[in-house]
Amino acid sequence: MTEFSIGIDCGGTHTVAIAYDQHADMLRKSVQGPANLAVDPTEAVKNIHAAILAITQSLNEKDCNKILIGIAGLSAFNEIEQLIAELDFPNLDIKIINDAQLALIARLKGQNGLVAIAGTGSVVTGIVDNRSVRVGGWGHLLGDEGSGYQISKLAFQQVTKETDLDEISNFSKAFLKEIGAKNITDLISIFYKLNKKEVANFTPFVLKEAKDGDKVAQSIVETATKGLADQINLAMNKTDWQKSTLNLAFSGSVVEKSSYYRQLLIKKINCEHQEINILPVESDFNNAIAVIYAK
Amino acid sequence: MTEFSIGIDCGGTHTVAIAYDQHADMLRKSVQGPANLAVDPTEAVKNIHAAILAITQSLNEKDCNKILIGIAGLSAFNEIEQLIAELDFPNLDIKIINDAQLALIARLKGQNGLVAIAGTGSVVTGIVDNRSVRVGGWGHLLGDEGSGYQISKLAFQQVTKETDLDEISNFSKAFLKEIGAKNITDLISIFYKLNKKEVANFTPFVLKEAKDGDKVAQSIVETATKGLADQINLAMNKTDWQKSTLNLAFSGSVVEKSSYYRQLLIKKINCEHQEINILPVESDFNNAIAVIYAK
């Protein structure tokens, strides 16, 4: 008769559902396929449903206090109502928020502050003095500064720019090899067949080249981290953070996995005005834990 | 028994085939649907075939000297061979080049020089002293500076930037109305459903606002024309154009239809070093005329 709550972090590659007891210890975990409402709502419902079912089949559904789902591509309130109806668990208390809100609650453990998210996409979001703040997050074609998509796209553009100048750098030669292109025609043909996630997959290569000292790769990462830092600084200005120490957390594969990227980003954050508490990135952290801290 | 040649300009919205006699006077014209190899090769073949058939059914196929086809999305020589085979006119002398090459021959009437193309996409291409020159043209996601897609995208991004700053300009209010969006959520949802041509369709609105004196719209057009002018200047530097007067022509809906855009662009072109002959934009001009000037 252990009471539990379920947090579900839905993303473009997979859905992670975790059941926690009242001490926030993990009881069960289920990993399913992707769930992004903007990409494929039917698949999203199917995978979230499977994740909940996997847990309630081994734990007693009656002991489930609440479920908090964070999902990408959520844009309107009526989508939430419809999604809850389609999940078809009438006896469960289900709350749905977007994936950035889930990261915000999880990373700040329910406290005030900002979260800078940089994975395939990017956004800066926060709650300070009960006011919500958001900067960026307009998607890969209009923004997503500092994201994996942007870093990879800048690498592709580096090759096109150098082609126009008839000067191909060592970085571009290595990048052509990395993506499996013999020349610029191949590169263009490859790029336009990739989806945004597949484009972003070349980011670890660019970050590694930069970390290893390649000046061209470093300039790409500079551009990306400057873009995201500008958004963090703007978000800071939008809050009343002068009153107290501001918590700043990070979420997303790019910023979590690369300490090189994180250090460059932190250097560009406007720290001189006020005390800022940059929360460390925890390993094996999942945003599903938000269910413990959510009000 | 009038001998004739057929020029065919294939594009993303329609295919125009024109039969000319030996004095370059138009004999017949056929307009069919879109033909872009990168978008839909089957449709491209169907529409080009229909265009040729429409002409050879009223003129005598035996009197056709040659056919020159300019088509978008052409990337490899084997595509040309395959396309000619699929068109299935074994008795006709058919030559296929890409749409930018067709514009180059047509606009410069077979002479040396550069052509700056700005429609939905953009590219600068030229032939000077038997050397081919090309700058840009890397597609809407990697480049296309000064194109209709870029101008419209900058307008969408203007609204997102102002939203981040909590300062919505009159331009952005008017743009939201123009695209039928009540707010930023609508704008994002609309933008990500549009294809590149549909995005570019908002360019005349931005150009009109700029021409009417709106400072925000003017700054967008400044950015776009600066990007394309930089590419023209780079193309100039890549040629041996110091030796003689350089011809510069324009092609594409954005640069042809808006004299406001053209004037801004010309102001930014690096004219001080050498005589440059900017060819006037002719009304009712079709790049199909290239068949007359092609060698």
Side-chain angles (χ1 to χ4, degrees):
Chain A
M1 293 282 274
T2 310
E3 291 193 0
F4 65 95
S5 304
I6 304 175
I8 307 183
D9 187 13
C10 306
T13 51
H14 49 253
T15 298
V16 180
I18 301 176
Y20 301 92
D21 66 15
Q22 59 264 54
H23 309 293
D25 287 330
M26 187 193 295
L27 297 176
R28 293 285 187 287
K29 182 176 182 174
S30 170
V31 179
Q32 306 289 334
N36 181 315
L37 284 182
V39 174
D40 189 339
T42 308
E43 182 184 46
V45 168
K46 189 182 124 262
N47 286 326
I48 299 170
H49 189 274
I52 296 174
L53 207 62
I55 288 174
T56 54
Q57 277 175 342
S58 65
L59 295 173
N60 196 332
E61 188 182 304
K62 280 207 315 274
D63 298 327
C64 182
N65 284 323
K66 59 176 173 176
I67 298 180
L68 180 65
I69 303 173
I71 184 163
L74 188 67
S75 63
F77 181 73
N78 58 1
E79 278 188 351
I80 295 176
E81 299 292 291
Q82 199 190 325
L83 189 51
I84 291 176
E86 287 177 10
L87 284 172
D88 197 23
F89 288 104
N91 301 321
L92 294 174
D93 171 18
I94 299 178
K95 198 179 165 192
I96 300 178
I97 59 181
N98 76 46
D99 56 336
Q101 290 172 309
L102 193 82
L104 180 67
I105 297 166
R107 301 289 163 159
L108 296 169
K109 303 189 195 312
Q111 302 301 300
N112 274 352
L114 297 176
V115 175
I117 303 175
T120 299
S122 78
V123 67
V124 180
T125 181
I127 294 183
V128 181
D129 295 337
N130 293 318
R131 275 185 59 219
S132 280
V133 180
R134 174 198 152 148
V135 177
W138 306 114
H140 69 301
L141 300 181
L142 294 176
D144 282 0
E145 285 77 359
S147 67
Y149 181 86
Q150 192 205 18
I151 292 172
S152 287
K153 191 184 75 169
L154 287 170
F156 280 92
Q157 285 178 317
Q158 184 66 33
V159 188
T160 64
K161 271 195 289 181
E162 292 177 7
T163 301
D164 283 341
L165 293 165
D166 297 324
E167 294 169 0
I168 305 299
S169 67
N170 287 333
F171 171 78
S172 289
K173 285 175 195 158
F175 188 70
L176 282 166
K177 200 174 162 196
E178 177 70 17
I179 65 172
K182 277 194 286 294
N183 51 40
I184 186 80
T185 309
D186 277 4
L187 172 134
I188 294 297
S189 164
I190 289 168
F191 177 82
Y192 283 96
K193 284 179 191 137
L194 300 176
N195 63 34
K196 63 183 175 181
K197 174 79 188 132
E198 290 165 341
V199 169
N201 283 343
F202 294 108
T203 293
F205 172 80
V206 182
L207 289 171
K208 188 185 177 306
E209 291 289 304
K211 197 181 166 192
D212 289 351
D214 185 282
K215 300 287 178 205
V216 172
Q218 283 174 353
S219 132
I220 289 172
V221 184
E222 276 292 313
T223 302
T225 50
K226 165 121 186 23
L228 184 55
D230 284 349
Q231 299 196 320
I232 295 169
N233 290 330
L234 181 55
M236 285 179 177
N237 290 339
K238 288 171 88 163
T239 68
D240 288 340
W241 71 289
Q242 292 89 341
K243 292 182 190 161
S244 62
T245 300
L246 186 79
N247 292 312
L248 173 64
F250 300 113
S251 184
S253 56
V254 173
V255 74
E256 283 186 70
K257 286 183 187 162
S258 170
S259 63
Y260 170 78
Y261 176 100
R262 221 156 48 233
Q263 281 162 20
L264 281 174
L265 185 66
I266 290 170
K267 260 192 212 161
K268 295 181 180 69
I269 296 169
N270 205 348
C271 298
E272 68 256 37
H273 298 307
Q274 175 66 16
E275 213 178 325
I276 176 163
N277 178 33
I278 295 179
L279 301 175
V281 166
E282 300 171 41
S283 60
D284 289 329
F285 188 94
N286 192 287
N287 290 336
I289 194 74
V291 70
I292 298 298
Y293 303 109
K295 279 161 194 110
Chain B
M1 292 283 273
T2 311
E3 291 193 358
F4 65 95
S5 304
I6 304 175
I8 308 184
D9 187 13
C10 306
T13 53
H14 49 255
T15 297
V16 179
I18 301 176
Y20 301 92
D21 66 15
Q22 59 263 54
H23 309 294
D25 286 331
M26 186 193 295
L27 297 175
R28 293 285 188 286
K29 182 175 183 174
S30 170
V31 180
Q32 306 288 335
N36 182 315
L37 284 182
V39 174
D40 188 340
T42 309
E43 182 185 46
V45 168
K46 188 182 124 265
N47 285 326
I48 299 170
H49 188 275
I52 295 173
L53 206 64
I55 288 173
T56 55
Q57 277 174 342
S58 65
L59 295 172
N60 196 331
E61 187 182 306
K62 282 207 314 275
D63 298 327
C64 181
N65 284 323
K66 60 176 172 176
I67 298 181
L68 181 65
I69 303 173
I71 184 164
L74 189 68
S75 62
F77 181 73
N78 57 2
E79 277 188 350
I80 294 176
E81 299 292 291
Q82 199 190 327
L83 188 51
I84 289 175
E86 286 178 11
L87 284 173
D88 196 24
F89 288 104
N91 300 322
L92 294 174
D93 171 17
I94 297 178
K95 196 178 167 194
I96 299 179
I97 57 181
N98 77 45
D99 56 337
Q101 290 172 308
L102 192 82
L104 180 66
I105 298 167
R107 301 289 165 159
L108 296 169
K109 303 187 195 312
Q111 302 301 301
N112 274 352
L114 296 176
V115 175
I117 303 175
T120 298
S122 79
V123 67
V124 180
T125 182
I127 295 184
V128 180
D129 294 337
N130 292 318
R131 275 186 58 219
S132 280
V133 179
R134 173 197 151 148
V135 177
W138 306 115
H140 69 300
L141 300 181
L142 295 176
D144 282 0
E145 285 78 1
S147 68
Y149 180 86
Q150 191 203 20
I151 292 171
S152 287
K153 191 183 75 170
L154 287 170
F156 279 93
Q157 286 178 317
Q158 184 65 31
V159 187
T160 63
K161 270 195 288 181
E162 292 177 8
T163 301
D164 283 341
L165 294 165
D166 297 323
E167 293 169 0
I168 305 299
S169 66
N170 287 332
F171 171 79
S172 289
K173 285 176 196 159
F175 188 70
L176 281 165
K177 201 175 161 194
E178 176 70 17
I179 64 172
K182 277 194 286 295
N183 51 41
I184 186 81
T185 310
D186 277 4
L187 173 135
I188 295 297
S189 164
I190 289 168
F191 177 83
Y192 282 97
K193 284 179 190 137
L194 300 175
N195 64 34
K196 64 183 173 181
K197 174 80 188 129
E198 290 164 340
V199 169
N201 283 344
F202 294 109
T203 292
F205 172 80
V206 182
L207 290 171
K208 188 185 177 304
E209 291 289 304
K211 197 181 166 192
D212 290 351
D214 185 282
K215 300 287 178 205
V216 173
Q218 283 174 354
S219 131
I220 290 172
V221 184
E222 276 291 314
T223 303
T225 50
K226 165 120 187 19
L228 184 55
D230 284 349
Q231 298 196 319
I232 295 169
N233 291 330
L234 181 55
M236 285 180 176
N237 289 339
K238 288 172 87 164
T239 67
D240 288 340
W241 70 288
Q242 293 90 341
K243 292 182 189 163
S244 62
T245 300
L246 184 79
N247 291 313
L248 173 63
F250 300 114
S251 185
S253 57
V254 173
V255 73
E256 284 186 69
K257 286 183 187 164
S258 170
S259 62
Y260 170 78
Y261 177 100
R262 221 155 50 234
Q263 281 161 21
L264 281 175
L265 184 66
I266 291 170
K267 261 192 212 162
K268 295 182 180 68
I269 296 170
N270 205 349
C271 297
E272 67 256 37
H273 298 309
Q274 175 66 14
E275 213 177 326
I276 175 161
N277 178 33
I278 295 179
L279 301 175
V281 167
E282 300 171 40
S283 60
D284 289 330
F285 187 95
N286 192 288
N287 290 336
I289 194 75
V291 71
I292 298 299
Y293 304 110
K295 278 162 195 108

